[in-house]
Amino acid sequence: MVEVIDGNLVAASVIQTVKSTAAALEKMSGVTIGLAVIIVGDDPASHAYVGSKSRMAKECGFKSVQHTLPAETKQEELAALVATLNADPSIHGILVQLPLPKPLDSEPIIQSILPEKDVDGLSVVNAGKLATGDLKTGLVSCTPAGAMVFVRRTHGEDLSGLNAVVIGRSNLFGKPMAQLLLNANATVTIAHSRTKNLAEVCRNADILVAAVGRPEMVKADWVKPGATVIDVGINRVPAPEKGEGKTRLVGDVAFAEVSEVASTITPVPGGVGPMTIAMLMANTVIAAHRAAGQVPPKF
């Protein structure tokens, strides 16, 4: 029988650790953990994401600060706000909701966030620390960090002797995921749209991670029997059975058929998704502990 990972359950256990360690830090050193979120413009999806992040931060006992800026905000104004938050010792994590409305350029803004406050793990400094195996002082991008929690819970800390294949080479997910697997001693292949014989490459994987944004691309005959399959895709496809014009969410993996072959699999929705906000909270706790000179918790 395949084990379907309940992402909501695992995320809840991460949040429980966040709450208890945040409370312990406040009791021990008087530090209230601070998370600042910046959102520019009025994109409804972005506002929904930011709302859920702010609510979760408050639930965890953080000081949650939200800066909502108009779409016509100038690059210099946004940069100045980030500089102010960088200098504020009560703020331990800074998050800029992407995408920014045009003509704002997100890259210099992201890179201007102090690496130790970059709880999204997107700065080149944090990416470089991950690439060189420094997990002690860097912060890891939230979605791959969350996917890695699933891998560790299934296979333990040491992945020696296991083959891992990551389909997707994005800076946001594919590359950091591959680095995390490599740091845990897996033998890692990064596959992508230009990979020849992709199905054959995937069949070699004990751990298969799909993050390409193509609905149900990974079929049962791509998967090694008994493999662990982590599905990071979120795709909307037509669902005429629900009514005209209706859609449903599916991942990059054909869940029903792959479940017949894999030993462990994440569903969409309810798999990796809930872990992203949980790991954002975890990163903020880690950043606050480091700023206070304390040993951060392990997630």
Side-chain angles (χ1 to χ4, degrees), residues 113-147:
I113 297 170
L114 284 177
E116 59 269 30
K117 295 190 179 190
D118 167 37
V119 284
D120 251 346
L122 299 179
S123 79
V124 290
V125 173
N126 282 322
K129 285 183 174 184
L130 177 58
T132 53
D134 176 7
L135 299 179
K136 286 200 165 58
T137 67
L139 290 165
V140 179
S141 185
C142 301
T143 306

Side-chain angles (χ1 to χ4, degrees), residues 25-113:
L25 183 68
E26 186 159 10
K27 192 175 177 186
M28 185 171 53
S29 53
V31 173
T32 300
I33 297 175
L35 175 64
V37 182
I38 301 170
I39 180 165
V40 185
D42 44 22
D43 177 68
S46 289
H47 275 274
Y49 281 135
V50 164
S52 56
K53 288 168 184 173
S54 297
R55 278 193 301 276
M56 182 58 79
K58 286 183 184 130
E59 196 186 308
C60 291
F62 298 177
K63 177 178 102 168
S64 176
V65 180
Q66 184 173 321
H67 293 272
T68 306
L69 307 180
E72 51 276 14
T73 298
K74 301 274 192 297
Q75 188 85 17
E76 307 74 55
E77 294 168 327
L78 186 52
L81 175 56
V82 171
T84 303
L85 294 170
N86 277 338
D88 184 345
S90 74
I91 297 296
H92 303 97
I94 302 169
L95 178 80
V96 177
Q97 184 64 37
L98 301 176
L100 292 173
K102 289 182 169 50
L104 290 172
D105 185 356
S106 60
E107 197 55 26
I109 297 295
I110 297 301
Q111 300 309 332
S112 73
I113 297 170

Side-chain angles (χ1 to χ4, degrees), residues 154-176:
T154 305
H155 294 280
E157 295 289 329
D158 187 6
L159 307 179
S160 296
L162 294 176
N163 287 324
V165 173
V166 180
I167 317 172
R169 55 178 167 179
S170 70
N171 291 333
L172 280 176
F173 184 86
K175 288 174 189 171

Side-chain angles (χ1 to χ4, degrees), residues 217-280:
M217 182 180 85
V218 176
K219 307 296 186 193
D221 63 355
W222 290 35
V223 178
K224 181 180 182 177
T228 295
V229 179
I230 309 286
D231 189 351
V232 189
I234 299 178
N235 310 287
R236 285 211 168 270
V237 297
E241 71 279 2
K242 287 183 172 182
E244 198 178 333
K246 297 287 188 187
T247 60
R248 62 189 173 93
L249 279 182
V250 298
D252 291 349
V253 174
F255 182 83
E257 62 177 89
V258 171
S259 297
E260 303 287 319
V261 185
S263 67
T264 306
I265 192 168
T266 65
V268 176
V272 175
M275 292 299 287
T276 301
I277 288 182
M279 296 317 290
L280 173 66

